[in-house]
């Protein structure tokens, strides 16, 4: 992955650090983005090779400024790994609150903002890759976590729509992939390895594909 620049959107969780570590170990230049300065500082301490940017990815103007800053410091990106998510329950359909929806919808809004902003980079790259982590709740939604399942379903569909665009615009070079997990805890290193492998797979094999991640 030498010479490839990969932006991780929402990089300060355990999974973000694991993906950053795997990508830097594979030779990629990692641009890590988070909303909190202390989270980014902790990430730099854990994975010293990363470049960090603080940005509220739910704010389209802030994302435009991020694109300019990343292009100035790291050039065009070859990869976007979007990890902003979060979980809220509610117990029943009646318990699916607007407040929880606003929180969960943040994952989808940040995905829309970042994919629209970096789409041209990914299409122009000789090996453009987009990846998200979706949930088994998309196929098996429950009343008690309907907000969560709906937000993840929207993100899942959005990435497969991006994949259809890649099939048209960059069929030999770009791919958008949805990893699917039940619980991510314990699978972070596997996720990092799977993200790196996206660059050795032929685009047609991983574009628009939902790849389950299960414990080894
Ligand atoms: N955890 C699970 O069991 C599980 C299961 C299925 C799917 N997933 C999916 O896997 C992905 C990663 O999950 P995770 O639990 O590791 O991480 P997460 O808690 O969902 O969030 C990861 C990151 O999002 C960042 N973030 C939140 N709002 C932001 C904003 N407005 N702008 C920029 N960054 C923002 C946080 O940074 P700050 O702290 O700096 O705000 C944090 O680094 C998510 O898409 C999640 O839905 C997780």
């Amino acid at each position: 992955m030498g010479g490839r620049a990969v932006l991780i959107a929402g990089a300060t969780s355990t999974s973000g650090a694991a993906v950053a570590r795997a990508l830097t170990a594979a030779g990629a230049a990692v641009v890590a983005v988070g909303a909190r300065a202390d989270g980014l500082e902790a990430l730099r301490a854990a994975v010293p090779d990363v470049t960090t940017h603080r940005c509220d990815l739910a704010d389209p103007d802030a994302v435009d400024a991020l694109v300019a800053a990343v292009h100035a410091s790291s050039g065009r990106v070859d990869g976007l790994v979007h990890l902003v998510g979060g979980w809220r329950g509610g117990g029943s359909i009646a318990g699916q609150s607007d407040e929880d929806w606003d929180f969960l919808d943040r994952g989808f809004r940040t995905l829309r903002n970042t994919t629209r902003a970096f789409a041209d980079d990914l299409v122009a790259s000789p090996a453009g890759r987009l990846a998200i982590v979706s949930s088994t709740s998309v196929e098996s939604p429950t009343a008690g976590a309907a907000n969560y399942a709906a937000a993840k379903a929207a993100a899942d569909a959005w990435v497969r729509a991006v994949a259809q665009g890649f099939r048209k615009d960059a069929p030999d070079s770009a791919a958008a992939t949805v990893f699917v997990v039940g619980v991510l805890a314990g699978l972070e290193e596997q996720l990092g390895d799977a993200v790196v492998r996206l660059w050795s797979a032929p685009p047609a094999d991983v574009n628009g594909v939902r790849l389950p991640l299960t414990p080894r």
Side-chain angles (χ1 to χ4, degrees):
M1 295 202 57
R4 306 260 182 253
V6 181
L7 187 141
I8 304 176
T12 57
S13 66
T14 306
S15 67
V19 171
R21 204 172 285 115
L23 285 166
T24 54
V30 171
V31 180
V33 181
R36 287 179 304 108
D38 56 344
L40 292 169
E41 194 180 320
L43 178 66
R44 280 196 303 274
V47 191
D49 289 337
V50 299
T51 302
T52 59
H53 290 266
R54 186 178 173 193
C55 178
D56 177 2
L57 297 169
D59 175 351
D61 293 337
V63 173
D64 285 345
L66 173 72
V67 173
V70 170
H71 284 168
S73 61
S74 308
R76 283 177 172 265
V77 303
D78 302 285
L80 171 61
V81 181
H82 179 276
L83 296 175
V84 182
W87 196 88
R88 295 277 171 94
S92 65
I93 282 293
Q96 303 302 300
S97 74
D98 289 340
E99 190 190 354
D100 286 351
W101 175 253
D102 288 343
F103 171 81
L104 292 166
D105 180 49
R106 172 194 75 159
F108 182 54
R109 273 182 287 132
T110 58
L111 176 67
R112 285 183 75 245
N113 289 344
T114 51
T115 49
R116 289 181 297 168
F118 289 104
D120 288 348
D121 282 24
L122 300 182
V123 167
S125 167
R129 297 288 184 273
L130 165 68
I132 64 162
V133 181
S134 187
S135 166
T136 50
S137 67
V138 170
E139 304 97 70
S140 310
T142 62
N147 275 340
Y148 175 76
K152 295 308 287 181
D156 202 304
W158 181 271
V159 171
R160 286 176 291 120
V162 172
Q164 192 274 336
F166 284 170
R167 223 170 275 132
K168 272 194 318 161
D169 300 334
D172 301 324
S173 57
T177 305
V178 177
F179 293 108
V180 183
V181 303
V183 175
L184 190 52
L187 294 178
E188 292 92 347
E189 283 187 21
Q190 249 177 272
L191 173 64
D193 293 343
V195 166
V196 169
R197 278 200 303 276
L198 291 177
W199 271 270
S200 51
D205 289 3
V206 287
N207 190 35
V209 172
R210 300 179 82 245
L211 288 175
L213 271 186
T214 49
R216 285 194 262 248

